[in-house]
Amino acid sequence: MRSRHHLHDVLIIGSGAAGLTLALNLADTAKVAVLSKGALNEGSTWFAQGGIAAVLDDNDSIEAHIEDTLNAGAGLCHESSVRFTVERGKAAIQWLIDQGVSFTKQQDGPDYHLTKEGGHSHRRIIHSADATGRAVHTTLIEKVQKHENLDLFEHHIAVDLLTQPDTRSGKVRCSGAYVYNRNQDCVDVFQAKAVILATGGASKVYLYSSNPDSASGDGIAMAWRAGCRIANMEFNQFHPTCLYHPKAGSFLVTEALRGEGAHLKLPNGERFMQRFDERGELAPRDIVARAIDHEMKRLGSDCLYLDISHKPAEFISEHFPTVKARCLEFGIDITKQAIPVVPAAHYTCGGVVVNHHGQTDLDQLYAIGETSFTGLHGANRMASNSLLECVVYAQAAAEHIAETLGNIDAPGKAPAWDDSRVTNSDEDVVISHNWDELRRFMWDYVGIVRTRKRLERATHRIKLLQKEIQEYYSNYQVGNDLIELRNLAMIAELIIRSAMERKESRGLHYSLDHPNNSSIARDTILVPTNFAAQEIFVRS
């Protein structure tokens, strides 16, 4: 199949909340392409349950939300980024409401129902029952499908970014991407004046994850290969409560259950969280995840339990219909029984270094959402700040792109993808084996609790794997699994390198060799040998 060449004003790689918000904010003035790895309704946004944090109640305040976020971030949040995000929270929620998102309202009035989650000092989580991500994503998908200026490309996965010299500035700029077209089994060329990475996180680098299979860190890996700095990849958030059942896959049990009074219990029915933190079940996620991990290892237990059955059945059914229905599929009635749970990789707090406009080190390349490192999350993301970040930074990036797009020349035509020296593989078992090995040693050696010896073992294994993967990539036709495996291996290396550099325990990075906090809080910033910036990039 002959590859095709596409030219747009804006190329958005990713179709979650961040990518679609950006698309809708630019579509009236620019020709926009949106790439989706699978169907539009796949990806992490669709599965987000809890809600979106924003100051919407008169008893709450901007300063309280900022303080809660800084506390959860264990000293590594960038206060300017936290304030930038929180101050724009109410407007971001109003924009979603204007698009048609149906958030849950109070039973006795027109006001929206707000819930409380771990780390928050006030009820500030606006939600749509326990399926907020689906409500937001469905609404945005309906909007983009109706817009004539938006070209949607489902089942397209980016392979690598394109760069070229810019005649006006004399710098290197991003001009598009090579994209594997899964529908036609070929690599197409997509070019644009501005390119945005909105590819989500990288939690599939771990064996157990709450994320869909698409969370393979594609945008972070591509940006690194193109010369962009990456920060704080050692901070991988493990959600404390994912459903433990051999057939459940990666089903997350929303933190809102604990916000509404659910208790974490040992197999004998005993509560235990007060022994780890005075906030009990409402402690930040890193503390809760480590506590569960500790008790599971101490007891040799396969799982622990989350129990909300002491609440009225009507209350549970109204507030948590998705969790109730999913658990019933496996014979668990949460109105009467505790839910078996385990921690699982959930959110990538690090990513591609950006400023408040979402700009990366590479001209005309932006990164938004979980792909980016804005400084908002620090060493531990506070619950429900992620969807807020998606909308706020997508809007900020859209404003900057709209202001500057008229001064950007169309890129020169890039060469077609060259696959003349590769063949079809008859050894795809290599991909599946390496995929499994990678995720297993990352779980065992670079998981919730780390040691120097475990990280050294991981370093040795990732070098061997990357050599095998690169050899395979150089000789055979690309496909979805190979592209994701190549990116996951790159992500694993970045996580391991970052963890090796941090000689302390802070937030989501806990080391038995360095159990205490350092007196100085520093970001871990990795700089590629082909660093793209012509001058040192400064956060605005």
Side-chain angles (χ1 to χ4, degrees):
M1 179 65 66
R2 185 177 179 181
S3 64
R4 291 174 292 182
H5 189 282
H6 304 267
L7 181 62
H8 293 79
D9 295 320
V10 178
L11 171 63
I12 301 172
I13 305 174
S15 59
L20 297 189
T21 296
L22 178 64
L24 289 170
N25 277 272
L26 286 174
D28 289 340
T29 57
K31 190 68 173 176
V32 181
V34 178
L35 307 185
S36 179
K37 285 178 72 171
L40 284 175
N41 63 354
E42 295 177 7
S44 296
T45 295
W46 186 268
F47 296 98
Q49 295 178 17
I52 308 174
V55 177
L56 305 170
D57 186 85
D58 291 341
N59 295 319
D60 198 2
S61 69
I62 296 291
E63 296 305 321
H65 191 177
I66 290 172
E67 183 178 357
D68 291 344
T69 301
L70 294 174
N71 287 338
L76 273 187
C77 294
H78 295 208
E79 187 169 355
S80 62
S81 299
V82 176
R83 184 171 294 279
F84 179 85
T85 307
V86 171
E87 288 181 344
R88 287 159 177 77
K90 188 172 183 178
I93 297 299
Q94 187 58 54
W95 182 82
L96 290 173
I97 293 171
D98 293 342
Q99 303 313 301
V101 178
S102 179
F103 292 110
T104 299
K105 293 191 174 182
Q106 298 278 9
Q107 285 184 328
D108 55 354
D111 294 336
Y112 290 103
H113 179 266
L114 303 177
T115 190
K116 185 178 179 181
E117 296 180 347
H120 291 276
S121 58
H122 293 77
R123 284 183 172 268
R124 63 169 68 101
I125 315 301
I126 190 169
H127 61 99
S128 182
D130 63 346
T132 306
R134 184 180 303 179
V136 170
H137 209 182
T138 300
T139 302
L140 297 182
I141 289 171
E142 290 175 353
K143 285 283 187 177
V144 298
Q145 287 176 330
K146 295 176 181 177
H147 207 294
E148 61 181 11
N149 266 3
L150 291 174
D151 292 333
L152 308 176
F153 297 86
E154 294 183 296
H155 307 288
H156 283 65
I157 176 172
V159 181
D160 265 320
L161 297 172
L162 290 163
T163 60
Q164 65 180 49
D166 182 70
T167 54
R168 293 200 191 196
S169 67
K171 298 180 181 180
V172 173
R173 62 180 275 197
C174 184
S175 59
Y178 286 118
V179 178
Y180 175 62
N181 180 341
R182 296 170 66 182
N183 302 310
Q184 304 294 331
D185 191 26
C186 64
V187 177
D188 294 336
V189 177
F190 282 78
Q191 290 193 267
K193 295 180 179 180
V195 180
I196 299 89
L197 298 171
T199 57
S203 287
K204 273 297 173 179
V205 77
Y206 288 101
L207 182 61
Y208 301 111
S209 170
S210 66
N211 288 193
D213 287 339
S214 58
S216 50
D218 305 326
I220 299 171
M222 287 190 293
W224 173 260
R225 291 194 292 264
C228 295
R229 290 174 302 154
I230 308 296
N232 286 7
M233 289 299 291
E234 69 270 37
F235 298 118
N236 303 96
Q237 186 173 75
F238 289 79
H239 196 286
T241 55
C242 284
L243 177 62
Y244 178 75
H245 191 280
K247 297 181 179 180
S250 56
F251 183 72
L252 180 151
V253 180
T254 174
E255 188 157 10
L257 267 85
R258 286 182 282 130
E260 294 296 340
H263 299 153
L264 281 166
K265 295 181 177 180
L266 302 176
N268 65 3
E270 175 190 349
R271 294 178 66 185
F272 61 92
M273 273 307 305
Q274 288 294 340
R275 290 193 275 110
F276 293 88
D277 193 283
E278 62 182 10
R279 291 166 290 188
E281 281 82 1
L282 289 181
R285 288 178 175 175
D286 61 323
I287 296 172
V288 179
R290 276 202 305 274
I292 294 174
D293 182 69
H294 173 85
E295 291 299 307
M296 287 174 58
K297 289 176 178 174
R298 180 178 70 85
L299 297 170
S301 178
D302 291 332
C303 65
L304 297 186
Y305 296 87
L306 183 65
D307 190 1
I308 198 172
S309 63
H310 53 279
K311 291 285 187 178
E314 183 180 354
F315 173 88
I316 297 171
S317 299
E318 178 186 351
H319 286 272
F320 306 109
T322 304
V323 176
K324 180 184 176 183
R326 184 63 169 159
C327 288
L328 279 174
E329 292 178 20
F330 306 107
I332 304 164
D333 184 350
I334 68 172
T335 66
K336 300 175 181 177
Q337 301 167 267
I339 307 167
V341 294
V342 292
H346 181 58
Y347 193 87
T348 307
C349 287
V352 185
V353 176
V354 299
N355 65 7
H356 289 167
H357 304 301
Q359 292 174 280
T360 71
D361 295 318
L362 181 59
D363 274 10
Q364 301 314 123
L365 179 67
Y366 298 74
I368 54 176
E370 196 175 349
T371 304
S372 68
F373 169 76
T374 64
L376 171 64
H377 304 305
N380 180 29
R381 177 181 71 93
M382 191 167 67
S384 293
N385 270 352
S386 53
L387 284 176
L388 177 65
E389 180 187 43
C390 285
V391 178
V392 167
Y393 275 85
Q395 291 177 327
E399 291 172 5
H400 188 267
I401 293 168
E403 291 172 359
T404 59
L405 201 61
N407 298 322
I408 307 298
D409 293 331
K413 189 173 182 179
W417 178 261
D418 183 6
D419 58 1
S420 59
R421 300 181 182 181
V422 298
T423 62
N424 288 320
S425 170
D426 58 358
E427 297 182 345
D428 281 357
V429 66
V430 174
I431 297 176
S432 60
H433 175 82
N434 286 353
W435 177 284
D436 183 66
E437 182 182 348
L438 172 66
R439 297 176 69 210
R440 283 186 181 277
F441 81 65
M442 285 297 292
W443 181 265
D444 290 338
Y445 299 150
V446 201
I448 295 174
V449 177
R450 299 161 180 174
T451 67
R452 178 184 57 80
K453 185 170 289 187
R454 292 175 191 172
L455 293 176
E456 288 175 348
R457 288 171 179 157
T459 300
H460 176 68
R461 279 161 174 76
I462 194 58
K463 287 180 179 178
L464 293 175
L465 268 184
Q466 284 185 315
K467 184 177 179 180
E468 288 184 12
I469 293 167
Q470 185 55 40
E471 181 182 353
Y472 195 95
Y473 179 79
S474 300
N475 289 286
Y476 297 111
Q477 298 277 4
V478 298
N480 185 77
D481 291 345
L482 177 58
I483 294 168
E484 291 187 333
L485 176 62
R486 177 178 178 239
N487 289 333
L488 276 177
M490 186 76 263
I491 293 298
E493 180 193 334
L494 296 173
I495 292 173
I496 295 164
R497 285 178 56 183
S498 299
M500 290 284 281
E501 287 195 18
R502 188 164 293 280
K503 302 295 192 293
E504 63 165 349
S505 289
R506 184 183 296 273
L508 300 167
H509 173 79
Y510 188 80
S511 169
L512 293 178
D513 297 309
H514 306 281
N516 300 315
N517 275 13
S518 170
S519 59
I520 300 175
R522 292 190 180 94
D523 293 320
T524 303
I525 299 179
L526 303 180
V527 181
T529 54
N530 59 332
F531 184 39
Q534 302 294 316
E535 55 190 39
I536 296 299
F537 180 83
V538 179
R539 183 183 305 278
S540 63

